């Protein structure tokens, strides 16, 4: 009736499953920023306008569709600055610009 106990062994797969993989480059940083931002603000991302490496991680500017309109050229978009740590975890974000899709940069 006694239970047989097995010795615990550390498996690298369980350790890696708990921790986010390190960001290996600008593409990984951009994808991680888009995923994190969509999950937080609930608006679909349209693209990435900038990616930069920093001492403690990455800074990514993500363009988001905030208010779809008809015609599409009048939809409201916004640019968000997203900061990630070296593992791709979101540290902070902020909206830096809001604009109509059809408008040109000044």
């Amino acid at each position: 009736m006694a239970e047989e106990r097995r010795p615990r062994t550390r498996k690298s797969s369980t350790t890696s499953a708990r921790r986010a993989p390190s960001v290996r480059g600008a593409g990984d940083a951009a994808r991680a920023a888009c995923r994190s931002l969509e999950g937080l603000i609930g608006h679909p991302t349209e693209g990435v306008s900038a990616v930069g490496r920093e001492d403690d991680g990455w800074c990514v500017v993500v363009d988001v569709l905030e208010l779809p309109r008809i015609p599409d050229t009048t939809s409201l978009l916004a640019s968000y600055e997203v900061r990630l740590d070296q593992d791709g975890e979101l540290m902070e974000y902020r909206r830096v610009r809001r604009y109509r899709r059809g408008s040109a940069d000044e």
Side-chain angles (χ1 to χ4, degrees):
M1 306 280 170
E3 280 186 32
E4 181 181 328
R5 292 186 179 234
R6 295 182 184 180
R8 287 187 174 185
T9 58
R10 278 190 106 163
K11 294 182 181 179
S12 59
S13 62
T14 43
T15 305
S16 62
R18 288 185 202 148
R19 192 174 7 148
S22 294
V23 174
R24 299 195 196 289
D28 285 348
R31 284 185 287 279
C34 289
R35 259 192 324 271
S36 296
L37 191 61
E38 275 186 0
L40 284 171
I41 65 173
H43 296 297
T45 57
E46 290 276 312
V48 173
S49 358
V51 179
R53 185 82 167 110
E54 297 184 338
D55 293 336
D56 58 346
W58 295 87
C59 179
V60 182
V61 178
V62 179
D63 298 316
V64 172
L65 177 62
E66 288 199 332
L67 184 61
R69 290 185 176 162
I70 298 172
D72 192 47
T73 54
T74 61
S75 294
L76 288 178
L77 286 89
S79 295
Y80 284 81
E81 188 176 89
V82 180
R83 296 195 183 277
L84 306 171
D85 66 12
Q86 293 176 354
D87 292 326
E89 293 294 320
L90 183 111
M91 294 169 33
E92 66 177 302
Y93 75 93
R94 65 187 178 104
R95 185 170 65 193
V96 293
R97 181 173 174 243
R98 197 167 191 205
Y99 57 97
R100 263 183 283 153
R101 185 186 300 276
S103 68
D105 286 344
E106 294 180 18

